[in-house]
Amino acid sequence: MHAATVSDPFPSERHDHGRCVQTAVSRAHDLCARRGARLTPLREQVLELVWRSHAPIGAYQLMERLAESRGRVAPPTIYRALDFLTREGLIHRIDSLNAYVGCPQPGRPHAAYFFICRDCGDAAEIRDEELADALTRCVARAQFEVETATVELSGLCARCRAKTGG
């Protein structure tokens, strides 16, 4: 998954996904080293699995995939790894799907805005300063204290709309 402008939110057909995974793991190592956080082999493997696709993945899917290489992994172990990765800003939780996606902007605190395709399942984190500013103004007017912020918009990506003639 990559952060994109609103005009180009989803990766192109020529997207090098292997490079996405390598970049995410490299950034995670750098960030964790700077922060003194421990990126254990299990946490790294969970991060790689989350980044293998641009579609959000759930904890039980992660357990199944980890079982292929590690044997059975208990749910609390997966959830601890996911909590760590989320806390460190390396992944985001997609609340509506109870699933996780990689964060293309780790190390920089930010609100997460997502387009989620209901056909192919891909999720794209978008950057839009106008949207961020509008939400900040609304929050200030309401004198509301935000604890977490995730905006999720579901629909069809351009590729899936083209396939259905939409």
Side-chain angles (χ1 to χ4, degrees):
M1 198 184 77
H2 71 295
T5 61
V6 176
S7 62
D8 181 26
F10 290 90
S12 72
E13 300 280 329
R14 298 179 306 266
H15 174 69
D16 181 354
H17 197 66
R19 193 163 154 196
C20 257
V21 175
Q22 290 174 338
T23 299
V25 171
S26 177
R27 285 180 179 165
H29 278 284
D30 291 346
L31 279 170
C32 287
R34 282 198 314 260
R35 295 175 178 165
R38 201 161 153 251
L39 186 64
T40 63
L42 176 67
R43 291 170 176 170
E44 181 177 338
Q45 193 172 8
V46 169
L47 180 65
E48 287 176 4
L49 289 170
V50 167
W51 271 94
R52 275 197 190 159
S53 170
H54 290 282
I57 186 168
Y60 284 89
Q61 291 170 295
L62 288 166
M63 282 188 337
E64 290 171 10
R65 293 191 184 154
L66 282 169
E68 296 167 9
S69 62
R70 289 182 158 265
R72 186 181 182 287
V73 179
T77 303
I78 294 293
Y79 283 109
R80 280 192 299 272
L82 291 168
D83 287 345
F84 171 86
L85 296 169
T86 302
R87 191 173 54 252
E88 292 300 321
L90 300 168
I91 63 174
H92 292 291
R93 184 172 186 275
I94 303 283
D95 293 330
S96 64
L97 302 174
N98 194 23
Y100 299 84
V101 293
C103 176
Q105 304 172 56
R108 186 180 76 83
H110 60 281
Y113 310 131
F114 296 99
F115 289 157
I116 304 166
C117 181
R118 66 175 162 77
D119 191 20
C120 69
D122 282 358
E125 183 174 342
I126 59 168
R127 288 189 307 255
D128 188 295
E129 292 307 315
E130 289 179 27
L131 176 58
D133 291 345
L135 288 172
T136 298
R137 285 192 307 276
C138 288
V139 165
R141 278 195 305 268
Q143 298 178 12
F144 185 76
E145 184 178 332
V146 176
E147 294 174 355
T148 61
T150 304
V151 174
E152 303 172 20
L153 303 168
S154 297
L156 290 174
C157 70
R159 281 191 315 263
C160 291
R161 280 190 20 244
K163 283 191 274 184
T164 61

